[in-house]
Amino acid sequence: MDTSPRTPHRLDPAGGCPHADNARLLERGAVAAVVLPGEVEGVAVLGHEALRDFLAHSEVAKGAAHFTALREGRIAPGWPLATFATVRGMTTADGDDHRRLRSLVSKAFTARRVEELRPRVEELTAELLDDLDRAAGRDGGVADLRRHFAMPLPMGVIGELLGVDAEHRERLHQLSNQVVATDIGPEKALAANRELVAVLTAVAAARGERPGDDLTSALIAAHDEDGGRLSQEELIGTLVLMIIAGHETTLNLLTNAVRALCGHRDQLRMVLEGEASWADVVEETLRWDAPVSYFPFRYPVRDLTVDGTVIPRGTPVLAGYSAAGRDPAAHGPDADRFDVTRPARPDAVRHLSLGHGAHYCLGAPLARMEATIALERLFARFPDLEPALPESALVRHSSFVGNSVRALPVRLGAARG
């Protein structure tokens, strides 16, 4: 059992590339003490096997009632990570509450329902590729792929799925960015959360007056049934979670995949020549450069030993997805190499970047479909696409939760088709 004193790793609220720090921490062990913003003590589980076990452990909870520092009033108002702990929804629920909330949303993400969305994803992808081409034409041949393609695709899909009118989507994206930021001040954090709730409350009110064939209308119907199967707070909390998770993860996945392929042209050539699939690109990107780096929070309900390290009851624990994806103990000595032909692990768990256990990402099939279609169509049309700036010049997310860059200016090259 590890009882040696070690200086906790101070997570940088400004974010930055996580991989160098992850490698250093993994050399010390699969579990690391960390300091969160506001001098809050926490733990990150970094090793693949340790994280897999921890995510599925029966004595690990998601509900904020188990967060000792929060329960004891030691978390200041406006703490940048508060939403991850306190929003009411399936990601902060346990047991019967979690099953009830998840069942209400899961109908929108069945394999059949996701496949029904394919024509719309393909149509929207084609429209956005035209927009990207026009943007590059206006700006000297350079366009921000993140702004014109990687963001509006998943935001458009989740917006339509939820029944969010188009005029709200750009603002919801901006507010989501602020909610997941870890370097934001208390006043801005509180204001962003208030506005996000206000916008989604207005969306819910509109759908309540004019129900449609969308998930928000279905959730409102569930709220109205059985004396309130879904409370108003749970309804809005679910919408908050769906908007953020429904586009931020896929946005980062697409951005990171394009960066990876442009930085490994040999890998891109293999895919374009049919030696690997676009699905392989998506899975290797999820492993190699996970769209979420450190996801908050889980709490042991008793003192819990994980890979020889005791995590005290009520400690806020981060899931270190970006670290687990490059853990040499799980993925071999070349774990830090991007390789679209990498064979699957024998246990079929290629990576943990979309979670594991009861809280595995409901939207994973949709995210995979969106990313596969988007990447295939993007490089079919613009096979010579390349970043307009070197990797070292790209500005990172202001968050240690999300893992990507703020903008990805690209030169499209000659279009085909």
Coordinates of all heavy atoms in Angstrom, one line a residue, residues 251-283:
L251 N -17.0 17.7 -30.8 CA -16.2 18.9 -31.3 C -14.7 18.6 -31.1 O -13.9 18.8 -32.0 CB -16.7 20.1 -30.6 CG -15.8 21.4 -30.6 CD1 -15.5 21.8 -32.0 CD2 -16.5 22.5 -29.9
N252 N -14.4 18.2 -29.8 CA -13.0 18.0 -29.5 C -12.4 16.8 -30.3 O -11.3 16.7 -30.7 CB -12.8 17.8 -28.0 CG -12.9 19.1 -27.3 OD1 -13.0 20.2 -27.9 ND2 -13.0 19.0 -26.0
L253 N -13.3 15.7 -30.4 CA -12.9 14.5 -31.1 C -12.6 14.8 -32.6 O -11.5 14.4 -33.1 CB -14.0 13.5 -31.0 CG -13.9 12.2 -31.9 CD1 -12.6 11.5 -31.6 CD2 -15.1 11.3 -31.7
L254 N -13.4 15.6 -33.2 CA -13.2 15.9 -34.6 C -11.9 16.8 -34.8 O -11.1 16.5 -35.7 CB -14.4 16.7 -35.2 CG -15.6 15.8 -35.5 CD1 -16.8 16.7 -35.9 CD2 -15.3 14.9 -36.7
T255 N -11.8 17.8 -33.9 CA -10.6 18.7 -34.0 C -9.3 17.9 -33.8 O -8.4 18.0 -34.5 CB -10.7 19.8 -32.9 OG1 -12.0 20.5 -33.1 CG2 -9.6 20.8 -33.0
N256 N -9.3 17.0 -32.8 CA -8.1 16.2 -32.4 C -7.8 15.2 -33.5 O -6.7 14.9 -33.8 CB -8.3 15.5 -31.1 CG -8.4 16.5 -29.9 OD1 -8.2 17.7 -30.1 ND2 -8.6 16.0 -28.7
A257 N -8.9 14.6 -34.2 CA -8.6 13.7 -35.2 C -8.0 14.3 -36.4 O -7.1 13.8 -37.1 CB -9.9 13.0 -35.6
V258 N -8.5 15.5 -36.8 CA -7.9 16.2 -37.9 C -6.5 16.6 -37.6 O -5.6 16.4 -38.5 CB -8.7 17.5 -38.3 CG1 -8.1 18.4 -39.3 CG2 -10.1 17.1 -38.8
R259 N -6.2 17.1 -36.4 CA -4.8 17.4 -36.1 C -3.9 16.2 -36.1 O -2.8 16.2 -36.6 CB -4.8 18.0 -34.7 CG -5.4 19.4 -34.6 CD -5.6 19.8 -33.1 NE -4.5 19.6 -32.3 CZ -4.5 19.1 -31.1 NH1 -5.6 18.6 -30.6 NH2 -3.4 19.0 -30.4
A260 N -4.4 15.1 -35.6 CA -3.6 13.8 -35.6 C -3.3 13.4 -37.1 O -2.2 13.0 -37.4 CB -4.4 12.7 -34.9
L261 N -4.3 13.4 -37.9 CA -4.1 12.9 -39.3 C -3.2 13.8 -40.1 O -2.4 13.4 -40.9 CB -5.5 12.8 -40.0 CG -6.4 11.6 -39.5 CD1 -7.8 11.8 -40.1 CD2 -5.8 10.3 -39.9
C262 N -3.3 15.1 -39.9 CA -2.5 16.1 -40.6 C -1.0 16.0 -40.1 O -0.1 16.3 -40.8 CB -3.0 17.5 -40.4 SG -4.5 17.8 -41.4
G263 N -0.9 15.6 -38.8 CA 0.5 15.4 -38.3 C 1.1 14.1 -38.5 O 2.2 13.8 -38.2
H264 N 0.3 13.2 -39.1 CA 0.7 11.8 -39.4 C 0.2 11.5 -40.8 O -0.7 10.7 -41.0 CB 0.2 10.8 -38.4 CG 0.7 11.1 -37.0 ND1 0.0 12.0 -36.2 CD2 1.7 10.5 -36.3 CE1 0.7 12.0 -35.0 NE2 1.6 11.1 -35.0
R265 N 0.8 12.1 -41.8 CA 0.2 11.9 -43.2 C 0.3 10.5 -43.7 O -0.5 10.1 -44.5 CB 1.0 12.8 -44.2 CG 1.1 14.3 -43.8 CD -0.2 15.0 -43.7 NE -1.0 15.1 -45.0 CZ -2.0 16.0 -45.2 NH1 -2.3 16.9 -44.2 NH2 -2.6 16.0 -46.3
D266 N 1.3 9.7 -43.2 CA 1.3 8.3 -43.6 C 0.1 7.6 -43.1 O -0.5 6.7 -43.8 CB 2.6 7.7 -43.0 CG 2.6 7.7 -41.5 OD1 2.2 8.7 -40.9 OD2 3.1 6.7 -40.8
Q267 N -0.4 7.9 -41.9 CA -1.7 7.3 -41.4 C -2.9 7.7 -42.3 O -3.7 6.9 -42.6 CB -1.9 7.7 -40.0 CG -0.7 7.4 -39.0 CD -0.7 5.9 -38.7 OE1 -1.7 5.4 -38.1 NE2 0.4 5.2 -39.0
L268 N -2.9 9.0 -42.6 CA -4.0 9.5 -43.5 C -4.0 8.8 -44.8 O -5.0 8.4 -45.3 CB -3.9 11.0 -43.7 CG -4.9 11.7 -44.6 CD1 -6.3 11.4 -44.2 CD2 -4.6 13.2 -44.7
R269 N -2.8 8.6 -45.4 CA -2.7 7.9 -46.7 C -3.3 6.5 -46.6 O -4.0 6.0 -47.4 CB -1.2 7.9 -47.1 CG -1.0 7.1 -48.4 CD 0.4 6.8 -48.7 NE 1.1 6.1 -47.6 CZ 0.9 4.8 -47.3 NH1 0.1 4.1 -48.1 NH2 1.5 4.2 -46.3
M270 N -2.9 5.8 -45.5 CA -3.4 4.5 -45.3 C -4.9 4.4 -45.3 O -5.6 3.5 -45.8 CB -2.9 3.9 -44.0 CG -1.4 3.6 -44.0 SD -0.7 3.1 -42.4 CE -1.5 1.6 -42.2
V271 N -5.6 5.4 -44.6 CA -7.0 5.4 -44.5 C -7.6 5.7 -45.9 O -8.6 5.1 -46.4 CB -7.5 6.4 -43.5 CG1 -9.0 6.5 -43.4 CG2 -6.9 6.1 -42.1
L272 N -7.0 6.7 -46.6 CA -7.5 7.1 -47.9 C -7.4 6.0 -48.9 O -8.2 5.9 -49.9 CB -6.8 8.4 -48.4 CG -7.1 9.6 -47.6 CD1 -6.2 10.8 -48.1 CD2 -8.6 10.0 -47.7
E273 N -6.4 5.1 -48.7 CA -6.2 4.0 -49.6 C -6.8 2.7 -49.2 O -6.7 1.6 -49.7 CB -4.7 3.8 -49.8 CG -4.0 4.9 -50.5 CD -2.5 4.7 -50.7 OE1 -2.0 3.6 -50.2 OE2 -1.8 5.6 -51.3
G274 N -7.6 2.8 -48.1 CA -8.4 1.7 -47.6 C -7.7 0.7 -46.8 O -8.2 -0.4 -46.5
E275 N -6.5 1.0 -46.3 CA -5.7 0.1 -45.5 C -6.2 0.1 -44.0 O -5.8 -0.7 -43.2 CB -4.2 0.4 -45.6 CG -3.7 0.2 -47.0 CD -2.2 0.6 -47.1 OE1 -1.5 0.5 -46.0 OE2 -1.8 1.0 -48.2
A276 N -6.9 1.1 -43.7 CA -7.6 1.3 -42.3 C -8.9 2.0 -42.6 O -9.1 2.7 -43.6 CB -6.7 2.0 -41.4
S277 N -9.8 2.0 -41.6 CA -11.1 2.6 -41.7 C -11.2 3.9 -41.0 O -10.4 4.2 -40.1 CB -12.2 1.6 -41.2 OG -12.1 1.5 -39.8
W278 N -12.2 4.6 -41.3 CA -12.4 5.9 -40.6 C -12.9 5.6 -39.1 O -12.6 6.4 -38.2 CB -13.5 6.8 -41.3 CG -12.9 7.3 -42.6 CD1 -13.2 6.9 -43.8 CD2 -11.9 8.3 -42.7 NE1 -12.5 7.6 -44.7 CE2 -11.7 8.5 -44.1 CE3 -11.2 9.1 -41.8 CZ2 -10.7 9.4 -44.5 CZ3 -10.3 10.0 -42.2 CH2 -10.1 10.2 -43.6
A279 N -13.5 4.5 -38.9 CA -13.9 4.0 -37.6 C -12.6 3.8 -36.8 O -12.5 4.1 -35.6 CB -14.7 2.8 -37.6
D280 N -11.5 3.2 -37.4 CA -10.3 3.1 -36.8 C -9.7 4.4 -36.4 O -9.1 4.5 -35.3 CB -9.3 2.4 -37.7 CG -9.6 0.9 -38.0 OD1 -10.2 0.3 -37.1 OD2 -9.3 0.4 -39.1
V281 N -9.8 5.4 -37.2 CA -9.3 6.8 -36.9 C -10.0 7.3 -35.6 O -9.4 7.8 -34.7 CB -9.5 7.7 -38.1 CG1 -9.2 9.2 -37.7 CG2 -8.7 7.3 -39.3
V282 N -11.3 7.1 -35.6 CA -12.1 7.6 -34.5 C -11.6 6.9 -33.2 O -11.4 7.6 -32.1 CB -13.6 7.4 -34.7 CG1 -14.4 7.7 -33.4 CG2 -14.1 8.3 -35.8
E283 N -11.5 5.6 -33.2 CA -11.1 4.9 -32.0 C -9.7 5.3 -31.5 O -9.4 5.4 -30.3 CB -11.3 3.4 -32.2 CG -12.7 3.0 -32.4 CD -13.7 3.5 -31.4 OE1 -13.5 3.4 -30.2 OE2 -14.7 4.1 -31.9

